Every structure is written in structure tokens, then in C-alpha cells.
Amino acid sequence: MKIAIAGSGAMGSRFGYMLQQSGNDVTLLDLWPEHIEQINDKGLSVEANGEQQFIKIPAAFPKDVHDTYDLILLFTKAMQLEDMLQNITHLLNKKTAILCLSNGIGNLETIQKFAPKSPLLVGTTLWTSELVGPGSVILNGSGYIEFQAINNVSHETLTVINNTLAEAKLNPRESDNVLLSIWKKACLNSVLNSFCTLLDCKVMDLNKSEYVPTLTDKVVLEFEAVAKAKGIPLTEKLALTAINAALAPDQAGDHYPSMHQDISSGRRTEIDYLNGAIALMGRELNIPTPANELITELIHAREEVTLK
Ligand code: NAD
């Protein structure tokens, strides 16, 4: 397949690398000049299991490519999605499928605004990756993709995309309610990412505080109320099961989650697409969401005092 990765940071580079290794024609699209320059000059540095390789893979600004792609994999942070879509409008058409696996609530609606006629698939992924500098990623562990065709996707296109992801060993699984998965993951991130960022701690350290379970309940119950009003079957039980599994001593990582890393490197966070999305919908639907509202404001305050 001819594939463009739109947003080739940690995850986009990982997926681009894996899709290229399995024989696809992949181009990394990005808006960070040093990143593009580094990849084109030296190759993408990929470190896995302690070994570093430099992979020759084309990288470009979206405005400089005019090919027709079979698939565009959108992998920006949620708050960068609209900007990226504006930059790739000339690549969007009825034939080019779009797959978005970024975290956060609201990505689907944003893509539909820009690409109403495109074959569209969305999902979540448990793969991880770390961008350690321009042109350089570290690949950790393994994962899978859960995805669903949303609109304009023919059976043939779905099969080809599924096979392509499977051949790249990305472990795709088709879901029959991907919105539930997206909301469940957003709820998990609204606890783990937001709490670790506000408390300046690693995931496993959340277990040290007796306040965390009470705070978690507040966030989760507001998610449940808003989800119910939106017709998403996310329950307190489903959300807490996912959160408690991630906080179990043998699972809770000795690492700072990505939102904490964004703040530490002076970058904006995805908060408006996590707790902030629930606070916004709560206001629109007249559902009280004070916990998510306060967390959103506190994270924005942290962004303002630490932004570069
Ligand atoms: P990322 O921050 O690595 O990259 C996103 C975009 O930001 C890319 O276009 C990248 O080039 C740009 N960028 C990154 N650092 C920059 C810098 N210093 N200066 C200028 N531009 C910079 O994001 P990601 O980790 O790949 O995440 C993409 C999506 O996937 C997000 O929604 C995230 O929540 C989700 N996700 C990430 C992981 C992970 O392990 N990284 C795992 C699962 C899901």
C-alpha cells in the first residue's frame, strides 16, 4: 500500500517504520523542520532491544507532497489534529482511507469536518513509543490496535487495511464499538495522565495516596454521566476495571505518563480532549462535572507556567 503518516512523532514514526518493514511504500509527513531534516539526512534512528538502526524512509512537509495515497494514518496529538488536517486537505479524497489512532475524545468529529467523503476508520492502540529527539525513536514492548470502520469504507478496503496492519505485525483487532474503547481509554488517561502530571509522580506512585481512589471515583462518575447522555455505554465498573488494572502493582509503570512528559518539555497537553472534553460536554448537557472542570483548569495553569 502507498501510505502517508500524517504526524510522525513517537507513534507515527513507530507505525511508519513497521509498515515500511513489511513492504509498504511509506512517507512520513510532519511539521517539525528539524525532525524531517534529520530523517532525510541520516535516516530514522530506531532503537529497539538496545540496538540502534538508521532506517531510510522519506520524510516531508505535507505541502511538498502531491501523490495519491491508499491510506493516511493520522497520528498527531489531539490538539494538533485540526492543524494537520488543514495541512493535508490536498491529499484527502474519496479513495484515500484515513485511520486515526490518536488518544482523546472528539477526533472523529474533527476528521469528519475536514474529510466527509473519505473512507474513515478510528481506533485506539496499546503500542507505545518514545521520541527522544528529532529523527530518533525508542520502541518499547508490544501492543495491539483496536479499530472500526466508521463511514464510506467498503468491505474490500477494510480487508486490505486489516491485512496490511496484520502483515506489519501491528496486531489489529476489529471492534464493534470502538467509541466505547476510545471513551474508556480517555477516562483511564484522564486519571493516570492528569493525576501524575498534577502530583508530579510516576504511575506506580499513585498507589501511595489514599486520596487517589476518591478522586478517581469523582472523575469516573462524571465520565459515566456524560457518556450515558451521549449514548456511549461506558459504566463506572468498566472504567474502574481498566484503571485498577493499570494501577495494579505488577502493571503500574515506573514511568511518567506522556502528559507529564509534555509538561516537562514545555509543550501543551491533550487535556482538552480528556477531562476537558467531559467538562465541555457537561456544560453543554447541563450535567455537573466539577472534578473534570477543575482538573482541566489546573493542567492549563501548569501549561502556562511551564510552556517554553
Ligand atoms: P508526539 O508528541 O511524539 O508527536 C506528535 C507530533 O508532535 C508529531 O508531529 C511530532 O513531530 C510533533 N513533535 C513532537 N515533539 C516535538 C518538538 N519538540 N517540537 C516540534 N514538534 C514536535 O506524539 P505521540 O506520542 O506520537 O502521540 C500521538 C498520539 O498517540 C497521541 O494522541 C497520544 O496520546 C497517542 N498515544 C501515544 C503513545 C506513546 O507511547 N507515545 C501510546 C498510545 C497512544
Side-chain angles (χ1 to χ4, degrees):
M1 272 188 126
K2 193 169 170 65
I3 302 174
I5 313 285
S8 303
M11 293 299 278
S13 293
R14 166 168 215 154
F15 275 56
Y17 160 70
M18 290 176 76
L19 286 161
Q20 191 206 47
Q21 295 296 297
S22 61
N24 296 287
D25 172 1
V26 178
T27 303
L28 302 179
L29 302 180
D30 210 77
L31 301 170
W32 184 12
E34 289 93 331
H35 190 47
I36 293 174
E37 213 174 278
Q38 194 79 10
I39 296 170
N40 285 331
D41 285 357
K42 296 195 177 156
L44 176 69
S45 163
V46 175
E47 195 185 317
N49 307 320
E51 268 181 42
Q52 187 186 24
Q53 300 175 68
F54 286 89
I55 307 294
K56 211 169 146 28
I57 183 166
F61 291 109
K63 69 174 171 52
D64 295 332
V65 297
H66 297 279
D67 292 357
T68 301
Y69 293 92
D70 300 310
L71 175 67
I72 295 179
L73 179 52
L74 277 167
F75 238 142
T76 63
K77 288 266 169 68
M79 66 285 186
Q80 303 163 325
L81 181 61
E82 186 148 347
D83 188 32
M84 179 55 79
L85 283 161
Q86 264 157 5
N87 276 278
I88 60 166
T89 43
H90 61 292
L91 303 177
L92 304 176
N93 59 66
K94 274 189 192 168
K95 290 212 170 132
T96 301
I98 297 176
L99 169 63
C100 179
L101 300 173
S102 296
N103 281 332
I105 294 173
N107 295 333
L108 171 60
E109 292 76 7
T110 304
I111 301 167
Q112 281 172 326
K113 202 168 70 184
F114 282 87
K117 297 193 173 138
S118 302
L120 174 59
L121 308 95
V122 293
T124 62
T125 180
L126 284 195
W127 286 97
T128 60
S129 178
E130 193 184 343
L131 189 66
V132 283
S136 183
V137 282
I138 299 181
L139 313 188
N140 317 302
S142 67
Y144 64 86
I145 298 170
E146 199 181 328
F147 76 108
Q148 188 175 5
I150 301 295
N151 42 12
N152 310 321
V153 181
S154 67
H155 180 67
E156 191 194 344
T157 301
L158 183 60
T159 307
V160 172
I161 291 175
N162 198 10
N163 290 346
T164 302
L165 296 171
E167 280 159 18
K169 299 194 167 47
L170 283 161
N171 305 330
R173 301 177 185 171
E174 271 188 65
S175 164
D176 55 10
N177 195 344
V178 84
L179 287 182
L180 171 61
S181 307
I182 290 173
W183 277 63
K184 195 163 59 169
K185 192 162 185 216
C187 188
L188 173 88
N189 287 336
S190 293
V191 171
L192 265 54
N193 273 267
S194 304
F195 288 13
C196 288
T197 306
L198 290 172
L199 302 176
D200 192 17
C201 71
K202 294 179 178 175
V203 175
M204 63 184 198
D205 295 329
L206 291 176
N207 289 314
K208 292 181 187 165
S209 167
E210 63 185 39
Y211 289 92
V212 165
T214 317
L215 289 166
T216 300
D217 269 345
K218 291 182 180 174
V219 170
V220 167
L221 286 172
E222 292 175 13
F223 256 83
E224 184 187 52
V226 173
K228 191 172 174 204
K230 289 276 178 189
I232 309 282
L234 178 68
T235 59
E236 180 193 13
K237 192 172 171 206
L238 276 176
L240 285 180
T241 303
I243 292 165
N244 291 335
L247 285 176
D250 58 331
Q251 282 296 315
D254 182 18
H255 69 271
Y256 293 101
S258 61
M259 187 185 289
H260 188 287
Q261 291 168 21
D262 285 339
I263 287 282
S264 310
S265 51
R267 302 180 64 209
R268 289 208 177 273
T269 69
E270 293 184 301
I271 192 70
D272 285 336
Y273 304 85
L274 301 171
N275 309 79
I278 295 307
L280 179 65
M281 288 183 213
R283 280 198 295 281
E284 287 166 0
L285 295 162
N286 230 354
I287 296 171
T289 53
N292 283 287
E293 184 104 42
L294 181 61
I295 289 170
T296 304
E297 288 167 0
L298 287 168
I299 296 284
H300 278 315
R302 273 219 73 180
E303 285 175 342
E304 284 177 2
V305 298
T306 51
L307 263 189
K308 279 190 183 147

